[in-house]
Amino acid sequence: MQLSFMYMLTPVGQLKLVANETALVAVLWQNENPKRVRLAELLEQQDHPILCAAQQQLAEYFAGTRQQFDLPLDFDGTDFQKQVWQALLQIPYGETRSYKQIAEQLGNPEAVRAVGAANGKNPISIIAPCHRVIGASGKLVGFAGGLDNKQILLKLEQLQ
């Protein structure tokens, strides 16, 4: 299946928005590791309705006027990864959770490392807010967009 993409400039650098015909499938970072999220063939399309909606909602998020996204999402991963990514969507704006808290929420408190690995493979950054997941000590750990960008996103949400 062919996917469409567009680029967007943001306070955390250039993002690559990717969608299929019916849903957003990825929000990728400027310095993205190409092995982190594997995608089918991509075609640049500036007028794709889902990409345009994602761009608009992300612009509102960065402007501080949007706290929740309303976009169709299509996660491609294992069943466990999808459970973790769905748990990310439940973390309220401006709040954080630890990997342990997410593992416990999923009913598998021993799966802390697996939650961390799934979080690191989250294909829809920011919208599925993996930046809201921190270490048990409260420290910022692991983030595909870099810890500086994680800090920017968390500060943006704390200011609202």
Side-chain angles (χ1 to χ4, degrees), residues 10 16 28 67 79 104 113 133 135 147-148 152:
T10 74
K16 184 183 226 179
L28 304 174
Q67 295 185 358
D79 288 344
E104 289 170 347
R113 287 178 186 245
V133 182
L147 293 182
D148 289 346
I152 290 168

Side-chain angles (χ1 to χ4, degrees), residues 82-96:
K82 289 177 184 179
Q83 286 180 328
V84 171
W85 300 333
Q86 287 299 316
L88 297 178
L89 294 170
Q90 296 172 30
I91 303 172
Y93 181 91
E95 294 185 21
T96 58

Side-chain angles (χ1 to χ4, degrees), residues 24-25 73-77 82 85-86 89 122-124 127-128:
L24 189 69
V25 299
L73 306 177
D74 186 3
F75 290 103
D76 184 22
K82 289 177 184 179
W85 300 333
Q86 287 299 316
L89 294 170
N122 170 27
I124 309 177
I127 292 169

Side-chain angles (χ1 to χ4, degrees), residues 86-152:
Q86 287 299 316
L88 297 178
L89 294 170
Q90 296 172 30
I91 303 172
Y93 181 91
E95 294 185 21
T96 58
R97 298 290 183 270
S98 70
Y99 297 105
K100 181 176 175 61
Q101 287 173 311
I102 292 175
E104 289 170 347
Q105 177 184 337
L106 297 177
N108 194 349
E110 302 302 314
V112 174
R113 287 178 186 245
V115 166
N119 195 58
K121 295 255 185 204
N122 170 27
I124 309 177
S125 295
I126 303 172
I127 292 169
C130 50
H131 62 278
R132 295 180 190 154
V133 182
I134 59 174
S137 67
K139 286 189 174 183
L140 302 187
V141 294
F143 188 58
L147 293 182
D148 289 346
N149 284 335
K150 186 171 192 163
Q151 183 72 41
I152 290 168

